[in-house]
Amino acid sequence: MKTSDRTMKRRVLLFISFISLTSVLGQVTYSIPEEMAKGSLVGNIAQDLGLDLKKLTSGRARIFTGDSAEYIELNRERGVLLIKERIDREALCAQTTPCALHFQIILENPLEFYSIVVEITDLNDHSPAFEKSNMVFKISESAVIGAKFLLERAIDPDVGLNSLQSYFLTKTENFVLKLKDQPDGEKTVEMVLQKPLDREKQEEIFLVLTAVDGGEPSLSGTAQIHVTVLDVNDNAPVFTKAVYKATIPENAPKGTVITRVSASDADKGSNSKITYSISNAAASIRDMFEIDDSNGDLISKRAVDYERARSYQIHVQASDEGGLTDSCKITVEVIDVNDNKPIINIMSQTNIIPEDSKPETVVTLVNVQDLDSGENGKVICAINEHIPFTLNPTSNNFFNLVTDSDLDRERASEYNITVTCSDEGVPSLSSSVTLTLQISDVNDNAPVFERSSYEAYIVENNTPGLSIFTVKARDADWNQNARVSYILEDSSVNGVPVSSYVSVSADSGVIHAVRSFDYEQIKDFHFRVKAQDGGSPPLSSNVTVKIVIQDQNDNPPQVLYPVQTGGSLVAEMVPRAADVGYLVTKVVAVDVDSGQNAWLSYKLQKATDRALFEVGLQNGEIRTIRQVSDKDAVKQRLTVIVEDNGQPSRSATVIVNVAVADSFPEVLSEFTDFTHDKEYNDNLTFYLVLALAVVSFLFITCLVVIISVKIYRWRQSRILYHSSLPVIPYYPPRYSDTLGTGTLPHVYNYEVCRTTDSRKSDCKFGRAGSQNVLIMDPSSTGTMQRIQSAKSILDEPDSPLEVS
């Protein structure tokens, strides 16, 4: 039974004063008494392990007990161990000594663990107790002196000095107590007859047996002994062995016969009939085994468990009808069977590890327990293959799961690590547990563009803000580390910042045109775009982008020759004796566009006589297509249209005047009329307009002015005619096609020599030229021929001789 609370407190204080501490190789041992109140101090673990209280808190220190109940708790703020649940040493360890709790304290970041042992010392909190409070004996009066009668043994769950120490029997003349030591250290209690019984004097004897333990103060228990004196039965049963040994495999089914005991009695009749029974046994023994009272078979009442008890001591009594008894002991050894799988405990709660972790980084601790013994309890553990981890054994069935190579989240972002543990029993039992480990991202990948370089095309005359194309870069990292921004690197194009040409969207990489491009000013340009991720520090890469401006047919052809002037009239002269294919002149035109937009073709749109002339489609040469006859009109007017090959095409029109005659005086009158007709028509149109706008006075004034101008120009032309100077049409001096895409080369010169006979004229063509050029002034009636000295004037690049 329990002691009083006051006595218990006094004993607890006494035991605490003898607490001992040892710390060897990371292990701390404490000693505390049982039955301490909840919340009582066990020890200052922070001080004993030399740990900082902040480390206990930051490392999330906790107690690991495997699958055992937790009696001790850790107060991380104070760094002390406290009683979590009341500890009953007898319930925890029974008769096993010493009785201790084994557990570990685990710290994370970094991962550390310490072994803790708490020894539970016994308190004298149990009194000796007899299972049977009444013992009945029937003893023959003929029982000889020295006859032994086995008494019920008292049970005291306490150990050491607090356990059962002695027995006392109430004073009697007939019996004395005798304690008999057993091989296992236990003591049996026998009542020995020291004086013969006399049924006639005393038929019944009542005695009290007292059991006393060695506690301070001592506790005791009593049992009543009732002795009935019988008539003569002078032979007691005798067992064949004092100790029987037997074995039973654990998990043997209920009703298994373990062994048989046997006793004999020399008496006859009813005095020789023997009855077997289990005596001096705890309730747990009686619940586990039973004995056949007639034949002595020991039978299991339920399956035994090696992990709970490895052996049993069973006391058996044989009694005859006369009340004489004998006793023996059966030792039952439990044979271990491999019936427990290994228990795997993952001791770390973290399941994330950065991808830049070094090899040999500890991921977690694994603890394995197998309740079997011997080979059945030896455990081998392994993990699944083809993963960058390994399982290293440490000690006491602990394993370190560590990395054995570099990690790469982009190759594998998650690992399912299966830990499989097998024992060495036959057959082997195994168990497994799977740990899902996430690999956290580190910014170790720079953005990579889809191409090593980009080339995009845009048609000139684009709208500002037009999207040209998109650059795209990908980052193998994750989340913010993979967020790519696009930046236009500083550079210049023709001395102008590239940002005034294009812009790039930071999020999408779309490149927009900032301005409208002109192919004739810039044909292509380069710049660089940088892709930068959102990591810390950020990583980047760049790519070269080439923008090619595509030509648009936005420029019409420009006619270089013949020059169209409003003041003087230029005419080509063709002799009447000209053969078929005679080169009259060449229309020279250029187009500042490129490609097919600059491919020019020449067509004869209108002509005074279409049957007389043709124009070369590609070269613009005007030639005769038949023999010139006397019937052909002297004055021929050709309209040539020059078209490019663009879509839609653009064109320019040039008027070529041709004089069919052998000499200038012959055509002078014709061209004078032609000129006068043209001027008349122009003046008539002008007069009509003025007639609608001004009064008749202004009309007369304007007419006088026009006539005066004509007279003046006619006089100037006559002076020039008598001076024998050549009249030279205007040519653009050394026309340079800077783009190299027109029909003229970079330098285009004309050198012309002329005699009065055009068929015998010495013509020298540098690139193109005409044989005869007739310049007619509207007020002039004469003609002029070009002479060799005109070459010196043509060589002046910017000063052609112009007649006005």
Side-chain angles (χ1 to χ4, degrees):
M1 62 181 178
K2 301 290 183 179
T3 61
S4 65
D5 292 340
R6 181 177 301 173
T7 303
M8 176 63 72
K9 292 179 180 178
R10 188 164 55 250
R11 291 177 179 176
V12 168
L13 294 175
L14 180 62
F15 276 99
I16 290 177
S17 65
F18 291 98
I19 288 177
S20 63
L21 300 176
T22 61
S23 178
V24 180
L25 299 178
Q27 176 172 302
V28 177
T29 302
Y30 297 95
S31 179
I32 63 172
E34 66 173 330
E35 305 292 345
M36 289 182 69
K38 184 177 180 181
S40 299
L41 175 67
V42 176
N44 192 327
I45 190 64
Q47 178 180 342
D48 298 335
L49 292 178
L51 298 176
D52 192 337
L53 292 180
K54 293 182 180 179
K55 185 174 182 180
L56 290 177
T57 304
S58 63
R60 294 182 288 178
R62 59 190 178 87
I63 290 178
F64 173 77
T65 61
D67 62 341
S68 303
E70 291 187 11
Y71 293 96
I72 308 296
E73 67 179 358
L74 172 64
N75 187 314
R76 289 187 292 204
E77 288 74 21
R78 296 169 53 194
V80 296
L81 295 176
L82 304 176
I83 297 296
K84 184 178 181 181
E85 297 291 340
R86 185 183 65 84
I87 302 175
D88 186 354
R89 193 208 65 80
E90 287 72 28
L92 183 64
C93 300
Q95 296 296 310
T96 302
T97 57
C99 179
L101 294 173
H102 297 267
F103 56 91
Q104 289 79 34
I105 291 182
I106 309 298
L107 282 82
E108 298 181 357
N109 298 323
L111 198 59
E112 301 175 2
F113 74 100
Y114 304 88
S115 295
I116 310 298
V117 178
V118 178
E119 293 184 0
I120 312 300
T121 60
D122 185 50
L123 291 179
N124 190 24
D125 57 344
H126 292 85
S127 301
F130 293 91
E131 185 174 353
K132 292 182 178 180
S133 60
N134 290 294
M135 291 179 276
V136 178
F137 293 90
K138 295 179 180 181
I139 304 175
S140 174
E141 63 180 351
S142 62
V144 298
I145 294 175
K148 301 173 183 178
F149 303 93
L150 184 65
L151 299 181
E152 187 78 14
R153 197 163 56 88
I155 304 299
D156 192 341
D158 294 325
V159 295
L161 291 175
N162 296 327
S163 65
L164 180 64
Q165 298 296 318
S166 61
Y167 293 87
F168 300 96
L169 189 63
T170 55
K171 187 175 182 181
T172 177
E173 296 178 349
N174 300 101
F175 300 96
V176 293
L177 285 180
K178 183 179 180 181
L179 300 180
K180 186 177 181 181
D181 294 326
Q182 296 293 320
D184 59 354
E186 295 182 354
K187 295 181 179 181
T188 59
V189 185
E190 294 179 337
M191 186 173 62
V192 181
L193 184 65
Q194 67 176 356
K195 182 180 179 180
L197 298 173
D198 188 353
R199 189 187 65 84
E200 287 71 27
K201 286 185 178 182
Q202 190 177 9
E203 188 175 355
E204 292 182 332
I205 301 173
F206 295 93
L207 304 173
V208 176
L209 179 63
T210 302
V212 182
D213 63 22
E216 185 64 33
S218 63
L219 302 177
S220 62
T222 60
Q224 302 293 324
I225 301 175
H226 181 202
V227 179
T228 301
V229 182
L230 301 176
D231 254 348
V232 178
N233 180 22
D234 54 356
N235 290 287
V238 178
F239 279 100
T240 57
K241 295 180 182 178
V243 178
Y244 290 83
K245 293 184 178 181
T247 59
I248 181 174
E250 66 172 327
N251 301 325
K254 175 183 177 181
T256 300
V257 177
I258 301 171
T259 189
R260 173 177 287 188
V261 297
S262 177
S264 61
D265 194 318
D267 295 326
K268 291 189 178 184
S270 62
N271 291 330
S272 64
K273 186 178 181 181
I274 298 174
T275 301
Y276 300 94
S277 63
I278 295 176
S279 64
N280 296 331
S284 59
I285 300 294
R286 294 183 181 276
D287 290 340
M288 189 71 66
F289 304 99
E290 65 180 356
I291 193 166
D292 191 312
D293 60 357
S294 61
N295 59 17
D297 285 344
L298 182 65
I299 303 170
S300 64
K301 296 175 68 175
R302 62 182 183 180
V304 295
D305 188 353
Y306 177 85
E307 286 70 44
R308 297 188 61 181
R310 300 187 179 186
S311 65
Y312 295 93
Q313 307 294 327
I314 305 170
H315 296 273
V316 178
Q317 177 178 288
S319 304
D320 61 15
E321 289 292 329
L324 300 179
T325 63
D326 192 11
S327 64
C328 70
K329 185 172 71 172
I330 303 175
T331 301
V332 179
E333 297 289 339
V334 181
I335 300 174
D336 184 36
V337 174
N338 191 26
D339 60 343
N340 291 282
K341 293 182 178 181
I343 301 172
I344 305 173
N345 299 296
I346 304 297
M347 302 180 64
S348 175
Q349 297 178 349
T350 180
N351 59 352
I352 300 176
I353 184 172
E355 64 175 319
D356 60 350
S357 299
K358 302 296 183 182
E360 300 301 323
T361 298
V362 178
V363 177
T364 185
L365 287 178
V366 179
N367 173 256
V368 183
Q369 299 175 348
D370 195 313
L371 300 179
D372 295 319
S373 63
E375 296 297 318
N376 296 333
K378 292 182 180 179
V379 178
I380 300 175
C381 294
I383 60 175
N384 44 316
E385 298 178 348
H386 309 301
I387 58 175
F389 302 94
T390 185
L391 195 65
N392 297 329
T394 56
S395 60
N396 299 326
N397 292 329
F398 280 89
F399 297 83
N400 282 336
L401 179 65
V402 300
T403 59
D404 67 348
S405 62
D406 293 331
L407 304 177
D408 187 357
R409 190 206 66 84
E410 289 69 44
R411 185 175 58 199
S413 61
E414 179 181 286
Y415 290 96
N416 291 320
I417 305 173
T418 301
V419 180
T420 302
C421 296
S422 304
D423 59 30
E424 296 186 4
V426 179
S428 176
L429 298 180
S430 65
S431 58
S432 62
V433 63
T434 299
L435 169 67
T436 300
L437 188 64
Q438 303 286 339
I439 309 301
S440 62
D441 186 46
V442 173
N443 191 27
D444 56 349
N445 290 278
V448 177
F449 283 95
E450 293 178 344
R451 303 179 190 174
S452 59
S453 63
Y454 290 88
E455 182 172 306
Y457 298 86
I458 182 172
V459 179
E460 64 173 332
N461 303 319
N462 58 284
T463 303
L466 177 69
S467 172
I468 302 175
F469 78 111
T470 303
V471 294
K472 194 69 176 178
R474 300 187 182 277
D475 196 309
D477 292 320
W478 182 75
N479 207 359
Q480 185 68 20
N481 294 333
R483 184 176 181 181
V484 179
S485 299
Y486 302 92
I487 303 170
L488 183 65
E489 292 190 352
D490 292 336
S491 62
S492 61
V493 178
N494 297 332
V496 179
V498 70
S499 58
S500 64
Y501 284 82
V502 292
S503 66
V504 60
S505 174
D507 295 329
S508 62
V510 177
I511 295 179
H512 298 272
V514 175
R515 62 168 62 177
S516 178
F517 297 109
D518 186 355
Y519 176 83
E520 287 70 43
Q521 292 183 2
I522 183 170
K523 293 179 172 57
D524 60 64
F525 60 93
H526 300 77
F527 59 91
R528 295 178 71 84
V529 175
K530 180 171 71 174
Q532 179 174 290
D533 60 29
S536 179
L539 300 179
S540 63
S541 61
N542 49 39
V543 70
T544 300
V545 180
K546 179 181 180 182
I547 302 296
V548 178
I549 313 301
Q550 292 182 325
D551 183 47
Q552 193 176 41
N553 192 25
D554 58 344
N555 291 283
Q558 299 177 6
V559 178
L560 302 180
Y561 183 82
V563 178
Q564 304 293 295
T565 62
S568 60
L569 181 64
V570 179
E572 303 291 343
M573 190 173 72
V574 177
R576 293 188 179 275
D579 296 331
V580 177
Y582 177 83
L583 178 61
V584 177
T585 187
K586 181 175 182 178
V587 177
V588 180
V590 294
D591 195 317
V592 295
D593 292 323
S594 67
Q596 66 179 8
N597 293 331
W599 298 348
L600 301 180
S601 59
Y602 303 85
K603 297 178 182 177
L604 186 61
Q605 185 180 35
K606 291 191 299 183
T608 305
D609 187 352
R610 277 187 172 274
L612 182 58
F613 302 100
E614 67 176 358
V615 178
L617 181 64
Q618 303 298 329
N619 54 22
E621 294 179 348
I622 300 176
R623 295 179 181 271
T624 59
I625 57 176
R626 63 174 175 79
Q627 183 72 42
V628 179
S629 65
D630 295 337
K631 297 180 180 180
D632 293 324
V634 173
K635 182 173 60 177
Q636 298 285 339
R637 183 171 180 173
L638 308 178
T639 303
V640 178
I641 183 170
V642 183
E643 292 183 338
D644 59 28
N645 199 36
Q647 292 295 330
S649 64
R650 292 178 175 269
S651 63
T653 302
V654 60
I655 296 175
V656 180
N657 294 310
V658 179
V660 180
D662 292 327
S663 61
F664 287 105
E666 182 181 351
V667 298
L668 182 59
S669 60
E670 290 290 338
F671 272 86
T672 301
D673 295 340
F674 173 81
T675 304
H676 280 289
D677 291 342
K678 179 178 182 300
E679 290 298 329
Y680 175 78
N681 291 333
D682 292 340
N683 290 335
L684 180 59
T685 302
F686 179 70
Y687 297 153
L688 291 175
V689 172
L690 291 179
L692 297 175
V694 299
V695 296
S696 58
F697 174 78
L698 294 177
F699 172 75
I700 296 172
T701 302
C702 290
L703 183 60
V704 172
V705 171
I706 292 173
I707 294 173
S708 300
V709 171
K710 286 189 175 185
I711 295 173
Y712 175 77
R713 292 180 66 182
W714 178 78
R715 288 179 178 177
Q716 291 293 332
S717 63
R718 293 297 295 174
I719 295 172
L720 184 62
Y721 176 76
H722 290 293
S723 66
S724 300
L725 292 175
V727 180
I728 302 172
Y730 172 76
Y731 298 95
R734 295 175 184 173
Y735 177 80
S736 176
D737 181 16
T738 59
L739 301 178
T741 58
T743 57
L744 289 178
H746 288 286
V747 179
Y748 200 106
N749 297 329
Y750 292 89
E751 296 183 25
V752 180
C753 298
R754 173 67 62 193
T755 63
T756 55
D757 189 350
S758 63
R759 285 178 295 178
K760 297 179 181 181
S761 62
D762 182 10
C763 296
K764 179 180 180 181
F765 298 94
R767 290 294 183 268
S770 62
Q771 294 169 329
N772 295 314
V773 178
L774 180 65
I775 300 178
M776 301 299 296
D777 188 270
S779 61
S780 174
T781 58
T783 64
M784 289 188 175
Q785 292 182 337
R786 275 178 277 174
I787 61 176
Q788 184 67 30
S789 62
K791 180 177 180 181
S792 62
I793 300 176
L794 285 173
D795 288 338
E796 295 295 330
D798 299 319
S799 303
L801 181 62
E802 181 175 357
V803 179
S804 58

